[in-house]
Amino acid sequence: MSSRDVLQSASTLASYNVLLQVMFRVLTFLLNAFTLRFVSKELIGVVNVRLTLLYSTLVFLSREAFRRACLSGGSGTSHSWRQVINLLWLTLPLGVLWATLLVCVWLWFLQVPDPQTVPYYSPAVVLFALAGVQELLAEPLWVLAQAHMFVRLKVVAESLAMIAKCSITVVLVVSARDWGLYIFSAAHLVYTGFLVLCYVVYFIRFLGSEEATKKSFPLRCVGDLLPCKTDGQPLVDWTLAQLTWSFFKQSFLKQILTEGERYVMTFLNVLSFGDQGVYDIVNNLGSMVARFIFLPIEESFYIFFAKVLERGRDVKSQKREEVAIAAEVLECLLKLVVVIGMIITVFGYAYSHLALDIYGGSLLSSGAGPTLLRCYSCYVLLLAVNGVTECFVFAAMSQAEVDKYNLVMLALSVSFLFLSYILTWWAGGVGFILANCLNMGLRILHSVRYINHYFQFSQWKPLRGLLPSPLLLLTLAVSAGVTALSESVFCCDSGWFLRLVHIGVGAVCLLGVLAAVLLTETHLVQFVRTQLLPRYRKKHT
């Protein structure tokens, strides 16, 4: 597959992932708004912070390193797929081990919620861990689908799973409210079960079919999906296993950085379960756009960079055409996420209070809620830039550089936990966001230095993507001032008419910003049209 074909497939994957994440976030958004009317904020806090942390820790530590290693450098060509499948099945026993350790910690070493307010905590811990292990059953199939760009499979599987989860949650919240945490445990088991079922059914139908033969798929029957030894070859490729180990050490630290505030809340008890619930809802609302736009782009274009670039080799040692494509894509991605992040920062400040009041009423819009969301709007910009720079850096680094970066991640992890603890005692939930901003800034600085060094002796300067046009910056500054003034005059305690006026002012300002983008960022607009929007790309396929 040529670099242009890889770019096209990665762009398609990013587009579908964005649509998928939009659906996920909208459904979760509506589900949280619904459940807020039926369950306590303490119950929401335990589910969304403690139990979700258990699940995310288990699956991330069990599979993330395997995913990055097995999708790096074209594992289907430089390594035997038989060995790759064998390596991927190690995620299951590793998941069982992590599940056992984490369940013991969650049951015996952490503060147990009041059973009157949050019933059935202990069974819920076991069931959430079981859901994580169940999801790992589909891991070899997921990697195969990603490596061969089966973009629609992921969309269909996760869409059906999410719809099933939301349906179960709504039915049980309305009809069996006394079940407490059993409601959310059952819904999560259904979600992971549907994921596994969809992948299994698809590959049972696909393997051995004419389509598989036409695509020269490396596996021929269902039995090839199971671990087994091939004559004349070791059980796993030890080079790939060593790379997995390097990524595993890094993933442990990255998980602390990604979920650091939840670890601090869970292990240090700096916020009550009710306050954790409010913070998590605001956090999810603030990160909605970041997660359904930036994360899919990062995941999809990591695959692109990993396939186009040769890991650990400098620019001069690689094909000129492929490096040029990678540099052009990196510059456009940086410009894209910077523009989106700045728009969110500007408009998030003036519309945080209104958004929370509409979403959750006075429960969210009173107190620290609006301040939390305003701070998170600023954090989104850093989150966006870091996602793109790190996806390039991780795809280009050699194994030795990955190991070296693990030490950097260790220092960042320690500093993040320390800052979170100190700043939370000083500023409450806002302290978590401030600590995230500081650490994200340091990670961006490291990635920018690496990218600058990587391209320093070449003609390409992809870091120019971090600098929007002067006209766009001016338009954003004017919009920030106008919308802040509008909020102070029209929002949010004077009725719906003035709220609509405030929304109208923001809409006019947003149109002005988009017009500035179309006029001054023509290269970015062309990239989005040809690479990120499937309806434009279909004209060329």
Side-chain angles (χ1 to χ4, degrees), residues 1 20 68 220 248 302:
M1 185 180 289
L20 182 65
R68 287 198 175 274
R220 300 188 179 278
F248 176 78
Y302 170 78

Side-chain angles (χ1 to χ4, degrees), residues 351-359 491-492 496 499 502-503:
Y351 290 88
S352 292
H353 188 280
L354 179 60
L356 291 177
D357 194 59
I358 294 173
Y359 183 56
C491 194
C492 291
W496 269 102
R499 290 185 178 189
H502 179 48
I503 293 173

Side-chain angles (χ1 to χ4, degrees), residues 25 284-295 340 344 380:
R25 293 300 157 184
N284 286 333
L285 184 62
S287 65
M288 182 182 295
V289 176
R291 289 175 185 265
F292 73 60
I293 293 181
F294 301 138
L295 184 59
I340 296 174
I344 294 171
V380 163

Side-chain angles (χ1 to χ4, degrees), residues 2-182:
S2 69
S3 56
R4 289 286 180 186
D5 292 333
V6 173
L7 172 59
Q8 187 178 75
S9 299
S11 301
T12 304
L13 183 60
S15 301
Y16 280 114
N17 277 347
V18 168
L19 294 176
L20 182 65
Q21 290 295 327
V22 168
M23 188 200 73
F24 274 18
R25 293 300 157 184
V26 169
L27 287 176
T28 305
F29 177 86
L30 296 175
L31 185 63
N32 282 338
F34 178 80
T35 54
L36 277 173
R37 274 71 179 173
F38 291 89
V39 300
S40 66
K41 61 182 182 180
E42 286 78 14
L43 191 68
I44 292 291
V46 171
V47 172
N48 288 1
V49 177
R50 181 169 291 191
L51 295 181
T52 301
L53 180 64
L54 168 66
Y55 163 79
S56 66
T57 302
L58 192 161
V59 296
F60 190 91
L61 294 181
S62 300
R63 74 188 183 190
E64 179 67 13
F66 292 87
R67 286 185 172 186
R68 287 198 175 274
C70 293
L71 290 173
S72 295
S75 57
T77 55
S78 58
H79 306 282
S80 164
W81 268 111
R82 173 73 275 145
Q83 294 175 313
V84 173
I85 294 294
N86 291 340
L87 183 64
L88 286 169
W89 275 111
L90 293 177
T91 58
L92 188 60
L94 184 61
V96 173
L97 175 62
W98 278 118
T100 303
L101 294 174
L102 292 173
V103 166
C104 292
V105 172
W106 257 244
L107 291 180
W108 298 334
F109 293 96
L110 298 180
Q111 176 188 357
V112 177
D114 181 3
Q116 299 298 321
T117 307
V118 185
Y120 310 117
Y121 171 73
S122 296
V125 169
V126 176
L127 291 175
F128 264 78
L130 180 61
V133 173
Q134 180 175 251
E135 185 172 344
L136 294 175
L137 291 171
E139 192 58 24
L141 308 182
W142 186 93
V143 171
L144 277 171
Q146 290 291 104
H148 293 88
M149 301 296 180
F150 293 170
V151 292
R152 291 180 178 84
L153 173 58
K154 180 179 180 181
V155 174
V156 172
E158 298 195 13
S159 299
L160 291 176
M162 191 65 184
I163 291 171
K165 177 182 177 179
C166 291
S167 302
I168 293 294
T169 303
V170 169
V171 169
L172 293 181
V173 163
V174 173
S175 62
R177 202 178 308 175
D178 294 338
W179 284 18
L181 292 177
Y182 277 132

